[in-house]
């Protein structure tokens, strides 16, 4: 029994194309880090000199979010702290103050959010 190289290559290409089509919905439902995403929810973050805030909307009732604050001290050392979890339907702000902010020794480097989809 003999196989032609062209037919084998065509069969492999067809199998790869079929697998790509079957996997496409799963790939579009995940971000580059592999976290599942849902279309429609929106999060925002902001910060003052000492405190970071985050708020999300259009999340499902059991989804949750919290502020993720990166603090930096006068030596340039960074540390990440998190605010309390808020339920998706609450619409409340989650906030976290950097520890050691008295006297300007520590401040907010950046503020963001962490979302957990249930």
């Amino acid at each position: 029994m003999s196989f032609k190289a062209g037919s084998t290559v065509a069969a492999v290409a067809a199998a790869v194309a079929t697998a790509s089509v079957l996997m496409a919905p799963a790939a579009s439902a995940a971000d580059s880090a592999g976290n599942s995403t849902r279309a429609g929810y929106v999060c925002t973050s902001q910060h003052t000199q000492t405190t970071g805030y985050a708020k999300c909307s259009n999340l499902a009732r059991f989804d949750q979010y919290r502020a993720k604050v990166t603090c930096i001290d006068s030596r340039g050392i960074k540390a990440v702290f998190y605010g309390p979890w808020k339920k998706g339907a609450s619409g409340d702000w989650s906030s976290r103050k950097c520890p050691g902010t008295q006297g300007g020794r520590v401040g907010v480097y950046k503020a963001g959010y962490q979302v957990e989809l249930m």
Side-chain angles (χ1 to χ4, degrees):
M1 188 165 161
S2 67
F3 291 102
K4 293 186 179 183
S7 64
T8 303
V9 170
V12 170
V16 169
T18 302
S20 298
V21 169
L22 293 175
M23 294 176 66
S28 66
D31 65 13
S32 61
N35 300 317
S36 63
T37 59
R38 284 190 197 153
Y41 78 84
V42 177
C43 296
T44 185
S45 62
Q46 59 189 30
H47 64 85
T48 64
Q49 190 75 11
T50 60
T51 307
Y53 304 89
K55 179 178 174 179
C56 296
S57 60
N58 296 332
L59 285 167
R61 188 171 85 171
F62 295 110
D63 294 343
Q64 54 188 6
Y65 61 92
R66 63 182 176 175
K68 178 180 178 182
V69 183
T70 304
C71 303
I72 188 166
D73 69 12
S74 58
R75 299 168 295 165
I77 297 173
K78 299 174 193 164
V80 176
F81 298 93
Y82 296 91
W85 287 107
K86 300 292 182 176
K87 293 295 181 188
S90 73
D92 295 334
W93 286 94
S94 174
S95 65
R96 173 63 194 228
K97 184 175 183 175
C98 291
T101 57
Q102 304 81 355
R105 293 186 307 266
V106 178
V108 175
Y109 178 73
K110 66 180 178 178
Y113 52 85
Q114 180 180 22
V115 177
E116 190 173 270
L117 305 174
M118 299 294 178

